Amino acid sequence: MTASVISAGPIPGTGRAAQGAIELRQVSKHYGDVVAVDELDLTVQPGEFVTLLGPSGSGKTTTMMMVAGFEEHTAGAILIDGKPVDTLPPRDRNLGVVFQNYALFPHMSALENVEFALRMRKVPRAERRQRAEEALDRVGLGKMGGRKPRQLSGGQQQRVALARALVFNPAALLLDEPMAALDKRLREQMQEEIKTLQKGLGISVLFVTHDQDEAMAMSDRIVVMRDGKIVQSGPPEEVYNHPMTDWVASFLGDTNLIPGTIVERNGEEAVVDLGGLGMAKVRDRGASGENYAVSIRPEHLKFRTRATAGNGCAATLVSSTNLGATVRHRLTAGGHDLQLRELSSDSAARIRPDEELWVGWDADKAQLLVLES
Ligand code: ADP
Ligand code: MG
């Protein structure tokens, strides 16, 4: 466990009230025939950490560029703290920006890079130096202000970029894949540090990633994007456990998708005929379409004894693979191939291939969704 090097606290000299609300109303961006962003409605509340999650080309960066003011939107309105910003240049939007392609100036030291953000905003020279030093301190680089970017590691350069984004006390932070170039360990460390910093400052963040784990770890709310549109939005657990379509379920990790026919829908719950897997009670969030399936995450499928009540069926073990912390079992049940994941420490060493088993799941862990593909 690495100690956090970023110290969180109120920004010195600011008695800042809750601010940093970002609102997009029906915002679109067309590049000729390409619809990069399609009538997007999105809000970030003051202090909220919202993540745009989606595959490459889904419109995440375009959305960020429009909020930052680097791209003009084709239609709709963008408001920051209730005020339309459509005609404001980027530097007057009071947003701290860390984008992949918004690199540090190579000829300037770390300190000069951070100071630059203040120079742009006409902060007096005397005040600039001190504030830039404080900002570098905040990201754990107080002693490295004299170094040029090439004399810093990738992670340190990203910290300088973060200091530069925070130094003018912005209303909100826009972070577009800020950790994409870092290796896994450093990435996880930076994730925790950004979270700590964000909570300490109470600053709102609009974050972009295509990495599901990163989105799960950092967000108050995940907004899943596809083809320039929002396909689902909610707290991480909600989106993970209750995807509305097979596409969202599969994009957010492994899942068992079992096609079925709805027998009954009553508010929160539905009864679905899963063919060979029998009748199942599942969660129903009102997804509506032509074809339906039930999604059960591999870790929510459990070995059970036949006597246990509830959803379940007989299954045959095909293979077991030890993945370190977890074991992945492949099963067939009712004519379906299923995956069951359990902790290695809980793993049923007793079971052997071809043995007949019983697998089950809790109704609140199975989700009725629309089959799109
Ligand atoms: P993401 O960040 O989710 O990977 P982008 O916002 O970069 O996606 O891109 C969304 C879509 O808009 C893609 O189809 C991309 O090719 C297109 N696009 C982005 N920028 C431009 C541009 N300057 N000109 C034309 N098409 C663009
Ligand atoms: Mg992008």
Side-chain angles (χ1 to χ4, degrees):
M1 179 73 211
T2 320
S4 174
V5 298
I6 296 180
S7 60
I11 299 170
T14 66
R16 203 171 64 192
Q19 57 170 5
I22 300 171
E23 192 181 345
L24 280 76
R25 292 185 189 156
Q26 291 284 299
V27 170
S28 296
K29 177 72 185 178
H30 296 203
Y31 292 106
D33 289 345
V34 178
V35 183
V37 172
D38 196 4
E39 301 185 343
L40 207 70
D41 280 310
L42 173 73
T43 51
V44 182
Q45 304 294 341
E48 195 182 19
F49 196 116
V50 175
T51 298
L52 303 181
L53 172 69
S56 178
S58 56
K60 307 180 299 292
T61 294
T62 305
T63 302
M64 299 295 262
M65 298 286 273
M66 291 190 291
V67 176
F70 299 134
E71 285 283 2
E72 267 181 58
H73 45 285
T74 318
I78 300 173
L79 297 89
I80 295 170
D81 287 322
K83 294 187 200 76
V85 294
D86 303 0
T87 58
L88 282 185
R91 88 181 66 157
D92 295 334
R93 296 191 180 196
N94 201 20
L95 300 168
V97 170
V98 182
F99 285 1
Q100 260 173 289
N101 56 357
Y102 197 55
L104 301 173
F105 296 113
H107 60 286
M108 290 186 193
S109 70
L111 191 65
E112 286 163 349
N113 263 283
V114 178
E115 269 194 76
F116 182 78
L118 296 173
R119 197 137 54 93
M120 295 272 291
R121 290 171 178 81
K122 312 258 187 300
V123 174
R125 182 186 292 267
E127 200 185 318
R128 283 200 309 248
R129 179 54 55 98
Q130 194 202 339
R131 280 176 64 178
E133 280 171 353
E134 279 170 6
L136 277 180
D137 250 354
R138 192 184 286 283
V139 297
L141 292 179
K143 294 195 174 67
M144 300 198 188
R147 293 204 193 173
K148 296 275 169 61
R150 71 185 136 77
Q151 297 169 309
L152 297 167
S153 70
Q156 288 166 337
Q157 290 181 31
Q158 282 309 75
R159 291 205 176 98
V160 176
L162 202 53
R164 183 178 63 179
L166 284 167
V167 70
F168 55 91
N169 303 332
L173 274 182
L174 306 181
L175 308 176
D176 188 349
E177 311 231 13
M179 274 103 65
L182 307 181
D183 65 40
K184 188 169 177 289
R185 257 193 77 174
L186 198 51
R187 212 179 150 95
E188 286 172 1
Q189 190 187 334
M190 284 289 286
Q191 287 170 5
E192 287 177 23
E193 289 171 3
I194 288 176
K195 258 326 266 189
T196 308
L197 189 66
Q198 182 253 339
K199 280 193 197 141
L201 295 173
I203 195 168
S204 26
V205 174
L206 186 56
F207 186 83
V208 162
T209 186
H210 62 268
D211 179 326
Q212 306 80 352
D213 294 340
E214 189 162 279
M216 290 294 297
M218 301 193 70
S219 320
D220 295 320
R221 195 149 52 88
I222 294 179
V223 173
V224 186
M225 289 186 69
R226 184 186 188 187
D227 298 337
K229 292 191 181 71
I230 294 174
V231 289
Q232 190 167 348
S233 132
E237 321 76 56
E238 156 98 20
V239 179
Y240 183 81
N241 286 325
H242 304 293
M244 300 287 270
T245 67
D246 58 336
W247 187 85
V248 173
S250 303
F251 187 70
L252 259 85
D254 287 335
T255 198
N256 295 295
L257 287 170
I258 309 154
T261 313
I262 297 175
V263 175
E264 200 183 310
R265 294 182 94 157
N266 38 29
E268 293 273 278
E269 222 174 50
V271 178
V272 184
D273 182 350
L274 297 179
L277 288 179
M279 294 286 173
K281 264 192 192 147
V282 302
R283 276 288 189 113
D284 185 358
R285 296 290 165 104
S288 118
E290 283 186 16
N291 298 304
Y292 293 90
V294 166
S295 160
I296 307 167
R297 298 283 179 196
E299 68 272 26
H300 294 144
L301 207 55
K302 307 282 179 196
F303 289 119
R304 295 242 163 105
T305 58
R306 192 178 285 259
T308 319
N311 297 307
C313 61
T316 308
L317 183 68
V318 176
S319 67
S320 300
T321 310
N322 193 324
L323 303 167
T326 61
V327 177
R328 182 183 62 216
H329 302 284
R330 294 197 186 280
L331 312 155
T332 55
H336 294 278
D337 296 326
L338 301 178
Q339 257 194 68
L340 181 155
R341 223 179 237 250
E342 59 183 354
L343 292 176
S344 302
S345 50
D346 297 344
S347 179
R350 59 201 154 67
I351 53 175
R352 285 180 302 276
D354 299 329
E355 190 174 343
E356 183 160 284
L357 301 158
W358 193 259
V359 292
W361 63 89
D362 295 336
D364 66 342
K365 291 293 196 287
Q367 168 75 20
L368 177 72
L369 50 70
V370 172
L371 266 183
E372 287 184 330
S373 35

